[in-house]
Amino acid sequence: MWVLLRGGHPLRILLPLRGEWMGRRGLPRNLAPGPPRRRYGKETLQALEMPVLPVTATEIRQYLRGHGIPFQDGHSCLRAPSPFAESSQLKDQTGVTTSFSLFIDKTTGRFLCMTSLAEGSWEDFQASVEGRGDGAEEGLLLSKAPEFEDSEEVRRIWNRAVPLWELPDQKEVQLADTMFGLTKVTDDTLKRFSVRYLRPARSLVFPWFSPGGSGLRGLKLLEAKCQGDGVSYEETTIPRPSAYHNLFGLPLISRRDAEVVLTSRELDSLALNQSTGLPTLTLPRGTTCLPPSLLPYLEQFRRIVFWLGDDLRSWEAAKLFARKLNPKRCFLVRPGDQQPRPLEALNRGFNLSRILRTALPAWHKSIVSFRQLREEVLGELSNVEQTAGLRWSRFPDLNRILKGHRKGELTVFTGPTGSGKTTFISEYALDLCSQGVNTLWGSFEISNVRLARVMLTQFAEGRLEDQLDKYDHWADRFEDLPLYFMTFHGQQSIRIAAQDYIVGVFRKFATDNNCHVTLVIHPRKEDDDKELQTASIFGSAKASQEADNVLILQDKKLVTGPGKRYLQVSKNRFDGDVGVFPLEFNKNSLTFSIPPKNKARLKKIKDDTGPVAKKPSSGKKGATPQKSEICSGQAPTANQPNTSKRSK
């Protein structure tokens, strides 16, 4: 998550919140949903005409009491009688009355009726209770309709797919088992979960059924590809991830089940259910996020075990998801060599039930001992690259200094007026967003349309004004990015005292929610011949003190060929590395990423005691030797060439 805050002026906010690459290649032409593109999941957010005021659990309870609606307090939802279900629908298959079938999310107020599948926002629920609006109830019930945009495509692919054990060629069956690691997964398990195989695409097909298994609502295709000595996997979701969410294995859950194991991959659910007999569900977007719309389906469980994967990111995601579901009922399987992901554990002959018994409680008191932290410290030491965060693909020099983009940190970014802060931070964000980092932008100074236009141009790496026939192609791909915008443009400025308070709030927000916040703050007015420093950030020292990273976009102090800009990392709390690297602006694509074959050699302007730089300005001093040491670690003398790694 990022927030861009401008001191002395209205602030803008940018938040990255993580997805995975998803393509549609490998399907036969008559089944292919569309051209190959990078697919990301994100919640379906309506374009609101006016801001929606947040609602609290206390306000929801007061409203229900005020209207005489009985309710029960749950883990993450409130349960109430559903006004959308008929009396005949209020009994389950065993004949037990289930009158409290309406679930209201405590955090968002969004509701879901488990019997009629009606759903909507808190405002929709209020309108229905108060009888406001024409046909409000009919509108809310549209979500229960089995037909949707991709229903025919889903049905066509599903009918073409066949059970794996029914393939006529036994060699093809063995190849598929080997490619997907299914050598120890039985046919009964595949049949129980209704898994099929699409021969033309060489993909496993996992179905998403409506609750109760009444209808097919979607598919996830998993394609295996040989890549060197290993196998890579590519997922395709139909409907597109932004349109629909479901839990693989949901029809197999009964109302009496009190424990469930959540996984990030369908293959892991197969292995777990076969080995332990426990109910298992697969999150539709893996470790990327847990969609709030799925929380009602997890309310019935008194114990939820997360076994999401075998890396540090899976562990962090499990801790974050547990907070949504009430950590007191959640347990986490710690990744490790003896506790790999479930399918690998099955293939290696491990006892999966024994591993589940070692799951750690997600909830603990505010004070912990090193004994409780010992394994987490070992995990960070054993996974240094993962701990360093997600690496930028467009800015390799930023990786060299900052090592990566890490959750739970606060970054402050500043630079002179007109130096290109908005343009740079847009590409900085787009780089990570294109790799699946969920991103929320908020700006008081630039409209969302203007900002989206800049980012779309950077995404397409060229001017779309000259090729409008390609606009839909790039817009479709851009639309699938996990990118959102706040409607803050044009609001009032903030004072220094308020800025300090906001910085403190965002610092706490980043830590508590394990997301990354970036604040863009204007610098104080400095002389034109002086470089900006950390102390140049507008306001008090609060921002630079709270920040884990401080980035400064400098201008006119380093000669880097045609451009005169460079980025300075002046604070790096992760490992202490600081430094600078040049930036070359490409006006056609509005990007700062340096062309790999045309990196200009970095030349430093010396102070009065050193050699004169090329084309010095009269009466102005250059950078001090101390600034040179930031880049090379040592200031080169007059007779000694700069031998820093960057200049090589």
Side-chain angles (χ1 to χ4, degrees):
M1 164 181 179
W2 305 321
V3 178
L4 310 181
L5 187 154
R6 296 206 178 252
H9 292 272
L11 66 93
R12 19 176 205 174
I13 305 182
L14 158 75
L15 302 144
L17 296 151
R18 201 159 149 135
E20 53 193 16
W21 294 106
M22 301 170 73
R24 297 195 170 187
R25 293 167 291 187
L27 295 176
R29 180 171 298 181
N30 61 328
L31 296 177
R37 39 167 141 153
R38 297 167 176 170
R39 305 305 302 272
Y40 294 95
K42 58 182 178 182
E43 271 59 344
T44 305
L45 300 178
Q46 298 179 351
L48 300 176
E49 295 293 335
M50 59 183 67
V52 177
L53 296 178
V55 63
T56 65
T58 300
E59 292 172 338
I60 297 175
R61 294 187 184 98
Q62 291 176 347
Y63 182 86
L64 295 177
R65 292 191 187 102
H67 287 79
I69 302 175
F71 63 90
Q72 299 172 351
D73 213 328
H75 299 287
S76 55
C77 299
L78 298 175
R79 297 184 61 178
S82 174
F84 310 109
E86 300 176 1
S87 58
S88 60
Q89 295 178 300
L90 297 180
K91 292 185 178 181
D92 60 15
Q93 298 175 351
T94 63
V96 179
T97 302
T98 56
S99 57
F100 286 76
S101 60
L102 187 75
F103 290 78
I104 305 174
D105 191 297
K106 292 182 183 179
T107 304
T108 64
R110 192 165 185 84
F111 72 88
L112 169 66
C113 174
M114 299 292 283
T115 53
S116 66
L117 299 185
E119 61 179 317
S121 66
W122 175 241
E123 289 73 20
D124 293 332
F125 178 77
Q126 291 176 304
S128 177
V129 170
E130 299 168 13
R132 290 184 280 110
D134 297 330
E137 181 172 332
E138 180 182 354
L140 295 173
L141 291 174
L142 288 178
S143 61
K144 75 174 184 178
E147 297 299 325
F148 49 92
E149 182 180 357
D150 297 305
S151 59
E152 293 185 4
E153 183 180 21
V154 167
R155 180 60 59 183
R156 184 168 63 251
I157 294 177
W158 181 246
N159 292 336
R160 288 286 301 274
V162 297
L164 194 61
W165 60 89
E166 292 184 3
L167 292 177
D169 189 350
Q170 191 62 28
K171 291 184 178 180
E172 188 176 5
V173 176
Q174 294 176 354
L175 177 61
D177 286 342
T178 302
M179 293 284 284
F180 293 101
L182 296 174
T183 53
K184 292 191 176 182
V185 177
T186 65
D187 291 345
D188 288 340
T189 301
L190 296 174
K191 184 182 301 184
R192 185 162 58 253
F193 282 86
S194 302
V195 179
R196 295 186 180 183
Y197 183 71
L198 187 62
R199 297 181 67 187
R202 295 185 178 181
S203 302
L204 289 179
V205 182
F206 303 103
W208 282 343
F209 292 106
S210 298
S214 58
L216 183 65
R217 294 299 304 273
L219 300 173
K220 180 182 284 189
L221 280 69
L222 181 66
E223 180 184 2
K225 297 181 178 180
C226 293
Q227 194 172 56
D229 296 333
V231 179
S232 63
Y233 299 97
E234 188 171 317
E235 292 183 352
T236 302
T237 300
I238 309 172
R240 59 193 301 175
S242 61
Y244 182 67
H245 298 116
N246 204 317
L247 292 164
F248 175 70
L250 190 60
L252 301 180
I253 302 295
S254 73
R255 293 186 182 274
R256 294 189 177 90
D257 290 328
E259 180 178 357
V260 69
V261 183
L262 297 182
T263 71
S264 61
R265 299 196 317 177
E266 290 75 12
L267 295 176
D268 290 333
S269 286
L270 300 179
L272 266 170
N273 182 265
Q274 176 179 302
S275 300
T276 66
L278 291 173
T280 59
L281 294 172
T282 305
L283 301 179
R285 294 172 56 187
T287 59
T288 303
C289 79
L290 173 56
S293 59
L294 299 178
L295 298 186
Y297 297 105
L298 303 174
E299 276 292 295
Q300 74 180 70
F301 302 107
R302 294 194 298 269
R303 177 184 170 94
I304 298 177
V305 182
F306 286 93
W307 194 347
L308 299 185
D310 52 7
D311 58 6
L312 192 62
R313 291 170 186 164
S314 300
W315 173 251
E316 293 296 332
K319 291 191 293 184
L320 186 62
F321 296 164
R323 295 179 57 184
K324 280 189 176 183
L325 297 172
N326 188 343
K328 292 186 178 181
R329 62 169 174 157
C330 296
F331 295 80
L332 318 176
V333 175
R334 181 185 299 282
D337 184 61
Q338 297 302 310
Q339 296 183 167
R341 62 171 56 252
L343 182 62
E344 183 181 348
L346 174 66
N347 291 333
R348 291 169 61 179
F350 291 172
N351 188 324
L352 274 69
S353 296
R354 182 179 301 172
I355 294 177
L356 285 176
R357 288 196 293 269
T358 67
L360 303 174
W363 180 85
H364 55 74
K365 295 182 180 179
S366 300
I367 300 177
V368 297
S369 65
F370 178 72
R371 182 177 182 181
Q372 294 170 284
L373 299 175
R374 179 170 179 164
E375 292 300 319
E376 289 199 45
V377 173
L378 176 61
E380 290 205 359
L381 294 175
S382 305
N383 302 275
V384 177
E385 291 188 2
Q386 295 180 24
T387 305
L390 181 67
R391 298 173 70 84
W392 287 269
S393 61
R394 297 189 179 211
F395 301 102
D397 287 307
L398 197 55
N399 295 324
R400 174 176 56 83
I401 303 174
L402 278 183
K403 307 303 183 294
H405 176 268
R406 293 170 289 275
K407 295 181 179 180
E409 290 190 350
L410 173 68
T411 294
V412 169
F413 177 65
T414 190
T417 301
S419 61
K421 291 190 297 297
T422 300
T423 305
F424 172 81
I425 208 67
S426 297
E427 186 180 10
Y428 170 100
L430 181 64
D431 188 331
L432 298 170
C433 187
S434 298
Q435 299 184 62
V437 178
N438 295 309
T439 303
L440 176 61
W441 258 96
S443 175
F444 286 164
E445 298 183 340
I446 182 172
S447 68
N448 290 333
V449 174
R450 187 80 173 271
L451 179 59
R453 176 179 174 180
V454 170
M455 298 187 75
L456 181 59
T457 301
Q458 293 172 333
F459 184 66
E461 298 183 353
R463 291 169 55 86
L464 292 177
E465 299 95 315
D466 302 330
Q467 41 187 350
L468 291 178
D469 57 319
K470 297 182 179 180
Y471 175 79
D472 287 337
H473 167 75
W474 287 109
D476 287 345
R477 294 183 57 184
F478 190 74
E479 185 179 340
D480 284 335
L481 296 180
L483 178 64
Y484 306 95
F485 302 92
M486 291 182 177
T487 55
F488 284 165
H489 179 239
Q491 297 191 20
Q492 293 182 353
S493 303
I494 59 175
R495 293 182 173 89
I496 294 179
Q499 176 177 313
D500 283 355
Y501 171 76
I502 291 174
V503 169
V505 169
F506 278 128
R507 166 72 274 175
K508 187 176 186 300
F509 183 86
T511 302
D512 293 346
N513 294 278
N514 195 32
C515 61
H516 194 112
V517 179
T518 298
L519 306 178
V520 175
I521 306 179
H522 278 302
R524 292 199 300 263
K525 183 64 177 177
E526 302 279 9
D527 294 337
D528 293 339
D529 60 344
K530 291 183 179 180
E531 289 181 332
L532 296 179
Q533 309 289 334
T534 301
S536 302
I537 297 173
F538 188 89
S540 67
K542 179 75 171 180
S544 58
Q545 290 172 352
E546 295 282 5
D548 296 285
N549 313 296
V550 175
L551 309 181
I552 304 176
L553 183 59
Q554 302 281 12
D555 197 6
K556 301 179 182 178
K557 294 297 178 283
L558 291 184
V559 180
T560 59
K564 294 182 180 180
R565 297 185 183 95
Y566 68 97
L567 188 72
Q568 176 181 351
V569 179
S570 62
K571 183 178 181 181
N572 175 8
R573 189 171 281 167
F574 177 70
D575 64 1
D577 282 358
V578 293
V580 300
F581 61 90
L583 294 173
E584 183 178 345
F585 182 63
N586 186 324
K587 189 174 182 179
N588 184 58
S589 60
L590 302 181
T591 59
F592 280 99
S593 49
I594 304 173
K597 295 183 180 180
N598 297 317
K599 288 187 178 181
R601 182 175 179 178
L602 185 62
K603 298 180 180 179
K604 299 181 179 61
I605 300 177
K606 307 303 294 178
D607 63 3
D608 291 344
T609 62
V612 179
K614 184 183 295 184
K615 295 183 179 179
S617 57
S618 60
K620 291 187 179 181
K621 294 183 180 180
T624 63
Q626 184 179 2
K627 284 299 174 185
S628 300
E629 293 170 8
I630 294 178
C631 182
S632 62
Q634 176 181 341
T637 63
N639 298 322
Q640 177 185 3
N642 187 346
T643 58
S644 67
K645 183 178 179 180
R646 170 100 299 266
S647 62
K648 288 181 180 180

